[in-house]
Amino acid sequence: MDRSIAKHLFLPLARPSSARTTDSTRTTSTTDSTSSDAIKKYVLKLYGNTIRSFVADHSPPAGASRVSFINGLIVIEEKHKEVKDPNIVDWDGESDPQKPLNWPKWKKALNLTIIFLICLVTPFASSAIAPAAPDMQILQQNFDPYLASFVTSSYVLGYAIGPLIIGPLSEVYGRVVMYNMCNIIFVLFTVLSPIDKDLKAITGFRFLAGCGGASAFTLAPASISDMVSPERRGSAFAVMGIAYNLGPAIAPMVGSYVNATYGWEWIFWIITILGGVCTFASLAGLCETYEVVLLRRKAAMLRKSAGNKELRSKFDNSTDMSHWITVRTAMLRPLRMLCFSPNILLISLVTALGFGYMYLLYTMLPLVFITVYRWEARNTGLAYLGILFGNMLAMILGNGVSNHIASKRRANGDNRPEVRLIPMIFHWPLVSIGLFVFGWSASYGIYWFVPILGTAIFGVGVMSTVFFCGTYIIDAYTLHSASATAATIVLRSLFGGLVPLFSNKLYDNLGISWANTLLAAIALAFAPIPFFFYKYGQGLRAKYVVLD
């Protein structure tokens, strides 16, 4: 024992002598006893204060985590050191330059630029063909309005199936492999569409092209999460959001002009050329960003160089895990997250509703402005300017508002991902307002600027909601962000592909005004969802953890 401790532990206590007992001592025994008790209490008090002072002024001895004084005893609590498995492969510290978060700026910029191009081109293909649908119907001897609408929406349905494969496989084989495969699939089935001019065949080709094009929505948010720190992700998402919205917004304008000037086949040729550029850039410049795959590769290299077959990534639970079990688990994860996680399910429903309405407007705008405002077919692309402006404004507002609120809450110690949903509480009602303005102004033939203004308000509401939900999903499910994003895209794409099929019957039966009023009322019924998850989302995430 430390001498300084022993010195204080064995302080002598004053006691009366017991060697003799005389009459005089007996007569004064009561007095001496009282004095002795007082001295004992005083000495013990000094003893305790001394030990406490020593414990406070001295650091714990080696191997101890804490030293305390309890009931007159010095208690030394031993440390329980976590023994690190020498066979576990991890980054060389948080500042490891191989970690994607620590890549140099030029490398991040190169990867983000290529991803931006992919996010611009593949959504461009979704709506570019919409203005040409009437001319493509000439191919059919028997007019089928549902098939005509399905030519446009079949591509979006591909977005619903593609993510279920792309997202999970990217968490097994990596992001880059899936980017490259999806780009090739996108280009292949796009180029087949103008060659085989049968409308049913084109519908099938566009569906398969949409499956490949889904990489933009499935992998891009995950890639941003891999490379960009949480406090800067909002800005990166805003930039990608511009690509998401710019593509389908300008596509009808380009499509209407190209269709009127060169024919609808050239719309597909232009998409093929743009897709080819993205494929070449992806093959030449994209680098793997997924941490799990990178550490797995690092472990494989070390096993080969060091000859130690026991080395494994920190993300691998065991060295003998079946590869097919890993693939199967990853493939089922998005559906499990969608079905059993209330957070993902309800947030997906909100964005799906907005996405379905968006593509409904894409198919109905040319009809409205041709029949009500007597626009020429080649000018109908200008009707999409309202949505384009609204989408761009949504990205600017969404980025600024989201980052401001998140940083302010973080400074107050609130790091919950649910903070990202706060501005959505106020932005989602804009969807109902925009639909209402568009429907009633167009039904009365009010100056064309007013319905376009309504579509702009609608665009702000829908796209800012998609932005807020996207950042929330990435922040809440970081490691499995690709699967979580894929789960949200499934419903969104199903609504985007199926809702336009019923647009003709809806508008024929109710008219422009009441049809949009009904859609606005349905959207308004979903308004409490973001507030609910802001209040209770963290608890629900902890309760319903669905990963494997």
Side-chain angles (χ1 to χ4, degrees), residues 147-181:
L147 181 60
S149 299
F150 200 48
V151 172
T152 300
S153 60
S154 61
Y155 182 90
V156 184
L157 283 178
Y159 285 170
I161 304 302
L164 295 177
I165 302 171
I166 298 168
L169 290 183
S170 75
E171 294 175 354
V172 177
Y173 300 107
R175 317 286 194 214
V176 172
V177 173
M178 300 311 300
Y179 272 121
N180 293 333
M181 290 183 60

Side-chain angles (χ1 to χ4, degrees), residues 289-363:
T289 62
Y290 190 41
E291 185 176 5
V292 175
V293 172
L294 290 175
L295 284 178
R296 194 176 295 148
R297 292 177 182 175
K298 181 179 179 180
M301 291 176 58
L302 290 175
R303 282 197 298 268
K304 186 176 181 180
S305 61
N308 182 1
K309 295 184 178 180
E310 300 297 320
L311 292 173
R312 65 184 186 276
S313 163
K314 70 175 184 178
F315 295 108
D316 292 335
N317 296 325
S318 64
T319 56
D320 58 349
M321 179 180 288
S322 169
H323 175 73
W324 294 112
I325 292 177
T326 303
V327 174
R328 184 188 66 187
T329 301
M331 292 291 289
L332 292 176
R333 187 179 295 124
L335 286 177
R336 288 174 59 84
M337 296 177 84
L338 180 63
C339 296
F340 300 109
S341 172
N343 299 57
I344 293 179
L345 175 60
L346 291 179
I347 289 296
S348 299
L349 278 175
V350 176
T351 57
L353 188 68
F355 211 66
Y357 287 176
M358 178 74 72
Y359 277 89
L360 184 147
L361 286 183
Y362 282 154
T363 57

Side-chain angles (χ1 to χ4, degrees), residues 18 44 77 99 104 123 159 274 325 360 364 376-377 422 455 499:
S18 60
L44 288 173
E77 300 177 13
K99 191 175 182 179
Y159 285 170
L274 295 175
I325 292 177
L360 184 147
M364 292 306 299
E376 295 183 6
I422 294 176
T455 62
V499 168

Side-chain angles (χ1 to χ4, degrees), residues 210-260:
C211 290
S215 64
F217 293 96
T218 310
L219 299 180
S223 297
I224 291 173
S225 176
D226 295 338
M227 289 185 287
V228 183
S229 58
E231 59 272 12
R232 295 184 178 180
R233 279 178 195 157
S235 300
F237 277 122
V239 173
M240 291 302 162
I242 291 174
Y244 286 147
N245 298 301
L246 187 62
I250 65 173
M253 291 185 283
V254 175
S256 60
Y257 176 79
V258 172
N259 177 59

